[in-house]
Amino acid sequence: MTRLVPHEPPGAGLADRFGRVATDLRVSLTDKCNLRCTYCMPAEGLDWLPNPALLTDAEVVRLIDVAVHRLGVTDVRFTGGEPLLRRGLTEIVRAVAALPGRPRMMLTTNGIGLARLAAPLAEAGLDRVNVSLDTTDPARFKAITRRDRHADVVAGLAASADAGLLPVKMNAVLLRGINDDEAVPLLDFALTHGYELRFIEQMPLDAGHTWRREEMITGEEILAALRTRYTLEPDPSTRGGAPAETWVVDGGPVKVGVIASVSSPFCGACDRTRLTADGAVRSCLFSQDETDLRGALRAGATDEELADLWRKAMWAKPAGHGIDDPKFLQPARPMSAIGG
Ligand code: SAM
Ligand code: SF4
């Protein structure tokens, strides 16, 4: 029997036709980056968005305010591109922290510049960071990111812990034949320093469209590698909308996460909504459609009109990413331009 669904989103929050409600907002603050990770960007970079296309700091804060006060968003994660390249980042964080009913605020970053910025960001109101680091080896780091900046990332992680941005989380992508022997060394590194590590399966979101499923290191492979050194028990605390399946390491309290977006999709529990640096709402990393809010905002739309556009965009959220569908099409924007 076909389930009848209304054509318009009901209620005040960011509901979709499949019963999910988005409360977690990812805000891309720039599509630019100072690294060139091979699985994300080509060596020469991309055609960056022109400055007038980018939301201003005040526009970013206004849209976050709309999301929090009219749409029920409780968590805001700044990302990019590389969000630490956004000059106004600390002031954006401070302004969002001053909103009544402030959301939790997180940052996903490659860590370059964090040694200098972790303390001011914490002081401005940032709650936590996820720092991406795919290898413990500086030479491999250079091969993967095409930049010799391993030490800067390690210093950024340490500064985040010193600044109280706890727990400091680390994200790692394993690539076949490049760093696929690093599951254990990366967990050793994270345990030594007290960071919470999460592995992410490589997704078809690279600008070069080079992703091949058979080359992807699966969550199962990562767990098998970790089990050669550690015992892993399923984490009894619930997963909710969180993408990482977590495991308790050697009896705890430390945990390790695996985000198996491709081999074990969690779309049914997804609670994400996304805002690109040029002001488009995306209901999913993989959606083909997006809804421009910048045009309406600059044409003088009220908060409620903006909220209404956002609700409609989320109502159309697809059921899942469809990577396994033979008709799957990679979205036109790469991960770095959507906000990872
Ligand atoms: N530049 C920041 C960083 O690297 O953390 C934020 C943006 S980046 C797009 C966010 C996360 O997406 C990083 O942890 C990165 O490793 C991950 N990522 C990038 N491309 C990916 C891909 N094709 N598949 C899976 N993860 C990817
Ligand atoms: Fe930059 Fe992050 Fe993409 Fe690496 S993964 S190129 S750091 S945006």
Side-chain angles (χ1 to χ4, degrees):
M1 198 178 76
T2 319
R3 196 160 63 95
L4 282 178
V5 289
H7 294 296
E8 291 287 320
L14 292 173
D16 69 37
R17 295 162 299 154
F18 302 97
R20 298 165 296 187
V21 179
T23 53
D24 181 344
L25 168 62
R26 312 268 147 146
V27 181
S28 173
L29 292 177
T30 176
D31 59 333
K32 294 197 185 76
C33 193
N34 42 11
L35 296 184
R36 295 286 184 274
C37 304
T38 51
Y39 54 84
C40 183
M41 270 196 205
E44 64 279 13
L46 294 164
D47 289 334
W48 314 124
L49 290 166
N51 273 340
L54 295 179
L55 295 177
T56 64
D57 293 357
E59 288 171 338
V60 169
V61 175
R62 165 128 185 248
L63 289 176
I64 293 174
D65 188 20
V66 167
V68 170
H69 287 118
R70 300 194 177 246
L71 298 169
V73 161
T74 55
D75 293 82
V76 174
R77 177 174 295 278
F78 298 108
T79 179
E82 178 41 51
L84 292 180
L85 294 180
R86 175 90 182 209
R87 219 176 288 154
L89 174 64
T90 309
E91 291 318 309
I92 291 173
V93 168
R94 195 184 306 286
V96 174
L99 295 174
R102 96 201 258 303
R104 283 182 286 274
M105 264 185 292
M106 281 73 79
L107 176 76
T108 298
T109 171
N110 65 26
I112 294 172
L114 201 51
R116 182 171 54 83
L117 285 167
L121 284 168
E123 180 273 326
L126 188 72
D127 295 301
R128 280 203 295 100
V129 288
N130 282 60
V131 180
S132 303
L133 181 62
D134 301 329
T135 175
T136 59
D137 176 56
R140 275 194 185 174
F141 182 91
K142 190 173 170 194
I144 293 171
T145 67
R146 303 185 178 105
R147 299 287 186 275
D148 196 4
R149 306 296 296 268
H150 188 265
D152 298 78
V153 183
V154 171
L157 279 158
S160 302
D162 289 346
L165 296 167
L166 300 171
V168 173
K169 297 200 179 180
M170 248 176 79
N171 288 354
V173 177
L174 296 185
L175 308 165
R176 199 169 297 284
I178 296 178
N179 63 342
D180 52 354
D181 55 351
E182 289 216 50
V184 167
L186 281 165
L187 185 52
D188 289 344
F189 173 85
L191 293 182
T192 304
H193 296 278
Y195 308 143
E196 261 185 52
L197 174 63
R198 298 135 35 104
F199 291 95
I200 309 176
E201 277 182 353
Q202 192 187 356
M203 293 181 276
L205 286 168
D206 58 311
H209 293 220
T210 58
W211 181 89
R212 298 283 170 273
R213 192 185 181 115
E214 50 293 355
E215 281 175 26
M216 182 189 85
I217 302 290
T218 64
E220 280 304 316
E221 286 178 84
I222 295 166
L223 291 173
L226 293 175
R227 286 193 165 111
T228 63
R229 171 76 64 88
Y230 296 102
T231 62
L232 303 181
E233 301 295 335
D235 180 4
S237 59
T238 53
R239 174 165 160 176
E245 190 167 4
T246 49
W247 303 83
V248 177
V249 180
D250 281 351
V254 178
K255 295 173 186 176
V256 65
V258 177
I259 305 182
S261 332
V262 178
S263 65
S264 181
F266 41 86
C267 304
C270 180
D271 61 358
R272 306 276 133 80
T273 180
R274 293 172 189 275
L275 184 65
T276 65
D278 55 346
V281 169
R282 295 183 62 94
S283 60
C284 170
L285 262 178
F286 292 92
S287 41
Q288 296 295 333
D289 305 316
E290 50 187 45
T291 299
D292 174 45
L293 293 187
R294 187 194 63 203
L297 189 155
R298 291 187 182 168
T302 63
D303 283 1
E304 191 45 38
E305 284 163 348
L306 292 168
D308 207 40
L309 283 171
W310 206 324
R311 280 188 206 103
K312 288 192 171 117
M314 292 306 294
W315 187 245
K317 182 175 169 108
H321 57 48
I323 293 173
D324 288 327
D325 187 325
K327 293 200 285 283
F328 172 76
L329 272 184
Q330 194 173 324
R333 287 198 201 230
M335 175 89 125
S336 58
I338 298 171

